[in-house]
Structures are given as C-alpha cells and as structure tokens.
Amino acid sequence: MSVTRRDVLEELEGQSDASAGERTSIESLTDALAVDERTVREQLDGLESCALADIDADGQVRITVTGEELLALDLDEMIIVDAETIDRG
C-alpha cells in the first residue's frame, strides 16, 4: 500500500492535537496506517519541513495548527512539497 503525506497528515490529526499539545508516537501512526516505520518517518520529515507536523526530541509527533488548518480546507486535491526541494534560484 502506498501512503501519501496527506494520509499521514490525516492520521496524525486523528491522533494528536496542536492546541492541546497532544502528541502521538511514530509506532502508533505506523500501526494505524499499516505500513513500515521508514515510510511513515519519511512522510513525517516532509510534513515537518513544511511546518505541518512537529517532531520533538523524543520522537513524539503532533500536527501543527497549520496542518489542522490545511485539512480543514477539505480540498479534493492537495500537493505537499518538501520545502527544501523548491528551487529558489
């Protein structure tokens, strides 16, 4: 099964809360999405680079307010691009 950043962001929204600062584990996301940990970590790294997810020093993760707001737009299509892949030259 292929998991997109949107899939991970939506699951993260269900397991965490930006306003309350509630976090979840990468293991919990991995189990819920039924994919390997490496895939979830790669997607989370991309979400974090776009300020849509926050990963603390202990590896606990939560959605950001920006991530919640993006999902609240309820867009049919959404493309999330890593901040460092954008050519600014």
Side-chain angles (χ1 to χ4, degrees), residues 1-4 7-8 11 15 26-40:
M1 176 181 156
S2 178
V3 173
T4 66
D7 296 330
V8 174
E11 186 60 38
Q15 292 192 31
I26 293 172
E27 180 180 81
S28 179
L29 292 170
T30 299
D31 291 345
L33 294 164
V35 295
D36 62 281
E37 185 176 323
R38 188 177 125 221
T39 299
V40 172

Side-chain angles (χ1 to χ4, degrees), residues 1-74:
M1 176 181 156
S2 178
V3 173
T4 66
R5 289 207 174 111
R6 183 179 185 152
D7 296 330
V8 174
L9 188 62
E10 288 174 345
E11 186 60 38
L12 186 57
E13 179 185 41
Q15 292 192 31
S16 68
D17 185 288
S19 301
E22 294 175 5
R23 294 180 178 270
T24 189
S25 68
I26 293 172
E27 180 180 81
S28 179
L29 292 170
T30 299
D31 291 345
L33 294 164
V35 295
D36 62 281
E37 185 176 323
R38 188 177 125 221
T39 299
V40 172
R41 284 186 183 276
E42 287 173 356
Q43 298 295 8
L44 285 171
D45 287 344
L47 291 169
E48 185 178 41
S49 76
C50 297
L52 301 174
D54 179 69
I55 305 169
D56 69 13
D58 296 327
Q60 295 292 300
V61 62
R62 70 167 173 79
I63 193 166
T64 63
V65 171
T66 304
E68 290 176 336
E69 290 173 347
L70 179 63
L71 289 176
L73 294 173
D74 197 27

